[in-house]
Amino acid sequence: MTMMASGIRLRRPTAGDGSRVWRLLRTAGGLDVNTPYSYIMLCDLFGDSCVLAEAEGEPVGFVSALRLQERNDTLFVWQVAVHPSARGRGLAKAMLRELLGRRTEIRYVEATISPSNGASQSLFRSLARERGCVCRVTAGYAAELFPKGQTHEEEERYRVGPL
């Protein structure tokens, strides 16, 4: 657990946080919100690779990530959410730092980011600069892979490393 100067506490989530995380993602906007069950499961089974940020006991940020099975040195960041009231304070990067501080075996960080998501693009490029490494952008998931009838941009793959 880490306490930021702003009074925001960063910690490993537990199953009991899953519903609160789901509500946070609905409020934060801009992300695909999954079922409450998926966030309960993430917080419970993958809590070591997730970070919950709280201010006065309320969730204000969440990072969900998974270590890739085929590449144990790679952490795939699935979602980064920051409550509107906590934006502009460097919370997203602080959560990534917290996560990387726990996972010393990680040499690469990956994520898929849509072309219109400038905030996430900046976050991963900034992480690369901070760590003195490169951020490579390659093809990720084409828009055609998503279900018909749903509008979803392509997702480009960002790879930061080696850390």
Side-chain angles (χ1 to χ4, degrees), residues 87-145:
R87 291 185 183 148
R89 299 189 223 170
L91 181 55
K93 193 187 289 184
M95 290 188 293
L96 288 177
R97 284 186 198 118
E98 169 75 11
L99 186 53
L100 291 171
R102 284 190 227 151
R103 308 300 305 230
T104 57
E105 76 282 10
I106 299 301
R107 296 193 62 231
Y108 297 92
V109 177
E110 290 186 4
T112 60
I113 303 172
S114 60
S116 67
N117 189 340
S120 289
Q121 294 167 19
S122 295
L123 172 64
F124 284 88
R125 287 188 173 115
S126 174
L127 178 66
R129 282 191 305 276
E130 180 179 280
R131 298 292 174 126
C133 57
V134 297
C135 178
R136 288 188 175 81
V137 181
T138 59
Y141 300 117
E144 296 80 37
L145 293 174

Side-chain angles (χ1 to χ4, degrees), residues 38-154:
S38 66
Y39 295 106
I40 293 167
M41 187 178 61
L42 269 171
C43 291
D44 184 34
L45 302 178
F46 297 96
D48 283 342
S49 59
C50 296
V51 177
L52 178 64
E54 294 176 308
E56 299 177 10
E58 291 299 316
V60 293
F62 183 69
V63 169
S64 59
L66 309 162
R67 197 166 81 197
L68 297 181
Q69 290 181 351
E70 66 278 2
R71 289 181 275 137
N72 285 335
D73 66 346
T74 302
L75 188 70
F76 182 83
V77 177
W78 182 24
Q79 290 183 309
V80 178
V82 176
H83 191 279
S85 68
R87 291 185 183 148
R89 299 189 223 170
L91 181 55
K93 193 187 289 184
M95 290 188 293
L96 288 177
R97 284 186 198 118
E98 169 75 11
L99 186 53
L100 291 171
R102 284 190 227 151
R103 308 300 305 230
T104 57
E105 76 282 10
I106 299 301
R107 296 193 62 231
Y108 297 92
V109 177
E110 290 186 4
T112 60
I113 303 172
S114 60
S116 67
N117 189 340
S120 289
Q121 294 167 19
S122 295
L123 172 64
F124 284 88
R125 287 188 173 115
S126 174
L127 178 66
R129 282 191 305 276
E130 180 179 280
R131 298 292 174 126
C133 57
V134 297
C135 178
R136 288 188 175 81
V137 181
T138 59
Y141 300 117
E144 296 80 37
L145 293 174
F146 295 93
K148 291 189 186 325
Q150 289 192 344
T151 303
H152 199 293
E153 284 184 272
E154 70 175 314

Side-chain angles (χ1 to χ4, degrees), residues 10-28:
L10 305 178
R11 68 173 176 84
R12 179 196 189 280
T14 64
D17 295 312
S19 292
R20 297 168 64 220
V21 166
W22 177 75
R23 283 192 295 280
L24 167 67
L25 266 86
R26 290 182 50 185
T27 301

